[in-house]
Amino acid sequence: MKISTKGRYGLMLLVDLAKQSTDAPISLKSVAERQNLSEHYLEQLIAPLRNGGFVRSIRGAYGGYVLARNPRDIVVKDIIFALEGPITIVDEDIDDGLDVLWTRLREAIHEVLDSLTLQDLVDMRGQSEHGYMFYI
């Protein structure tokens, strides 16, 4: 299983919106600049995020996007599913005698993704950005 750039960049986009923590709309251009991502690619990701109820669009000269819900109420698994579809480890129709392994692995991944919220990612990212620097 590999999370594609759709999943990774979609999470980065939502974390960025959550970190701004204002009700003012945020342009995709500003997100792209801050995260060093393609604005065009973010434009492709915003539709499934809007359809999934994660963001709202604000029209107008100063328009952009805001989170549709509190980051504490947005589960990472739901974001990944909206962008990537269901998570699979191996094709379901393959009978290789290792079904128990693949099932346990899939369940573990679901458990981790289901236990994290967007706010958790914001907090984790903040810790890594403001970590301690040691010099020798």
Side-chain angles (χ1 to χ4, degrees):
M1 181 211 125
K2 182 177 179 180
I3 302 294
S4 73
T5 55
K6 282 172 42 176
R8 290 185 11 248
Y9 289 5
L11 285 171
M12 291 171 69
L13 168 60
L14 292 177
V15 167
D16 189 274
L17 291 177
K19 284 180 73 172
Q20 302 311 311
S21 68
T22 68
D23 291 330
I26 308 295
S27 71
L28 290 181
K29 181 177 182 174
S30 66
V31 174
E33 289 171 355
R34 275 192 300 277
Q35 300 300 323
N36 197 27
L37 301 173
S38 162
E39 181 181 359
H40 179 69
Y41 196 68
L42 293 181
E43 289 170 355
Q44 295 175 28
L45 299 178
I46 205 69
L49 292 174
R50 191 176 56 244
N51 293 339
F54 303 108
V55 297
R56 289 185 302 118
S57 61
I58 309 293
R59 294 179 178 250
Y62 299 101
Y65 296 91
V66 295
L67 290 179
R69 296 180 274 159
N70 187 303
R72 287 180 180 80
D73 298 330
I74 299 175
V75 179
V76 172
K77 182 173 112 178
D78 296 337
I79 300 167
I80 296 295
F81 277 28
L83 294 167
E84 300 276 352
I87 295 172
T88 59
I89 304 302
V90 295
D91 292 331
E92 299 293 327
D93 58 347
I94 293 177
D95 183 16
D96 59 4
L98 300 172
D99 296 344
V100 173
L101 171 64
W102 307 134
T103 300
R104 289 182 63 190
L105 186 55
R106 185 182 66 246
E107 288 171 353
I109 291 169
H110 281 240
E111 183 180 326
V112 169
L113 295 177
D114 208 24
S115 72
L116 294 170
T117 66
L118 184 57
Q119 186 62 52
D120 294 328
L121 297 183
V122 169
D123 295 342
M124 287 178 203
R125 190 132 188 221
Q127 290 173 359
S128 67
E129 290 175 358
H130 302 292
Y132 295 104
M133 181 67 68
F134 296 97
Y135 295 96
I136 298 178

